[in-house]
Amino acid sequence: GAVVSQHPSRVICKSGTSVKIECRSLDFQATTMFWYRQFPKQSLMLMATSNEGSKATYEQGVEKDKFLINHASLTLSTLTVTSAHPEDSSFYICSAKQGSGGNTIYFGEGSWLTVV
Amino acid sequence: LAKTTQPISMDSYEGQEVNITCSHNNIATNDYITWYQQFPSQGPRFIIQGYKTKVTNEVASLFIPADRKSSTLSLPRVSLSDTAVYYCLVGTQEGGKLIFGQGTELSVKP
């Protein structure tokens, strides 16, 4: 089946620095990908919709200047957490829908971000 | 996107059948019902999807009554490895956007 891969799986960064998380669709093209954040013992919260070749669409309450999303190709979306703070520490998950012939959304393995 | 309501948690024992019911009173005509499973520190994994009546695959069955205002995920003969959070989602998924509810934390005991 379709596979969505994230990298890195775990990252630790210092407060004030930026960190980039990649989301790749390995065997299909995805014009749209989605980024979620999940805190421990909570559900997934949709952050933004990543659109290939255009600006991302952010959910209400998500700072677009803090969470930069770039979808430069049909198989890659990146989430950059800028000027990270400890409260940004979370599990970040991406998803993608196969462009045609399918109605299933596939999720990446997730990326743990710890800001110290 | 239709709101869903599930039990927060459920307990079961190995070998039992587990049924998790989800309410979605405001489901729209074009909406599908999809269930995902999530283990700690992993992304959600697709389990099953249906529109009406009954759907069965190698891991689960999905029962949807005629009014489609609820659905039941049935896991036959659960094992310890089925301990996870199960999410019921409703939507067209045409664009791929999914809004997650709280999910049901299933604990399978020996």
Side-chain angles (χ1 to χ4, degrees), chain A residues 10 32 34 36 38 41-46 49 59 91 93 95 97 102-110 112, chain B residues 32 34 36 38 40-46 49 87 91-103 105:
Chain A
R10 289 183 178 273
T32 306
F34 301 87
Y36 295 81
Q38 185 176 32
K41 295 292 186 181
Q42 294 187 24
S43 184
L44 286 78
M45 184 194 80
L46 179 65
T49 302
E59 296 298 305
F91 191 51
I93 309 169
S95 70
K97 178 178 181 290
N103 199 33
T104 303
I105 290 92
Y106 297 93
F107 286 82
E109 314 96 320
W112 269 112
Chain B
Y32 281 79
T34 311
Y36 284 85
Q38 186 183 28
S41 298
Q42 294 186 27
R45 184 175 72 102
F46 173 86
Q49 183 182 75
Y87 292 97
T92 62
Q93 299 191 45
E94 282 190 13
K97 183 174 181 177
L98 295 176
I99 304 297
F100 283 77
Q102 62 183 15
E105 186 172 8

Side-chain angles (χ1 to χ4, degrees), chain B:
Chain B
L1 296 167
K3 179 180 169 62
T4 60
T5 303
Q6 304 173 232
I8 294 175
S9 63
M10 292 182 69
D11 291 333
S12 182
Y13 291 93
E14 281 190 293
Q16 289 187 333
E17 177 185 80
V18 171
N19 297 309
I20 306 174
T21 298
C22 177
S23 297
H24 28 80
N25 292 319
N26 296 323
I27 189 169
T29 303
N30 295 332
D31 286 344
Y32 281 79
I33 300 157
T34 311
W35 285 79
Y36 284 85
Q37 175 192 55
Q38 186 183 28
F39 296 111
S41 298
Q42 294 186 27
R45 184 175 72 102
F46 173 86
I47 301 174
I48 197 165
Q49 183 182 75
Y51 183 80
K52 62 180 180 180
T53 62
K54 176 184 175 182
V55 179
T56 297
N57 62 22
E58 62 276 8
V59 297
S61 294
L62 178 60
F63 299 92
I64 306 168
D67 66 6
R68 303 202 325 124
K69 293 184 183 298
S70 67
S71 59
T72 299
L73 173 73
S74 182
L75 305 173
R77 297 180 299 281
V78 295
S79 63
L80 296 176
S81 61
D82 292 317
T83 294
V85 178
Y86 292 82
Y87 292 97
C88 160
L89 292 99
V90 173
T92 62
Q93 299 191 45
E94 282 190 13
K97 183 174 181 177
L98 295 176
I99 304 297
F100 283 77
Q102 62 183 15
T104 297
E105 186 172 8
L106 173 66
S107 177
V108 180
K109 302 175 183 178

Side-chain angles (χ1 to χ4, degrees), chain A residues 2-70:
Chain A
V3 177
V4 175
S5 179
Q6 287 184 234
H7 177 81
S9 58
R10 289 183 178 273
V11 58
I12 300 173
C13 71
K14 292 184 177 180
S15 290
T17 62
S18 297
V19 61
K20 180 185 290 185
I21 301 171
E22 295 183 344
C23 176
R24 293 181 185 273
S25 55
L26 297 184
D27 55 0
F28 66 99
Q29 294 183 331
T31 55
T32 306
M33 292 183 176
F34 301 87
W35 287 97
Y36 295 81
R37 180 166 58 178
Q38 185 176 32
F39 293 108
K41 295 292 186 181
Q42 294 187 24
S43 184
L44 286 78
M45 184 194 80
L46 179 65
M47 299 175 67
T49 302
S50 173
N51 304 300
E52 188 269 335
S54 65
K55 291 183 178 180
T57 305
Y58 291 81
E59 296 298 305
Q60 191 173 7
V62 178
E63 300 175 59
K64 61 180 67 176
D65 294 330
K66 179 166 186 63
F67 299 99
L68 300 180
I69 291 172
N70 184 278

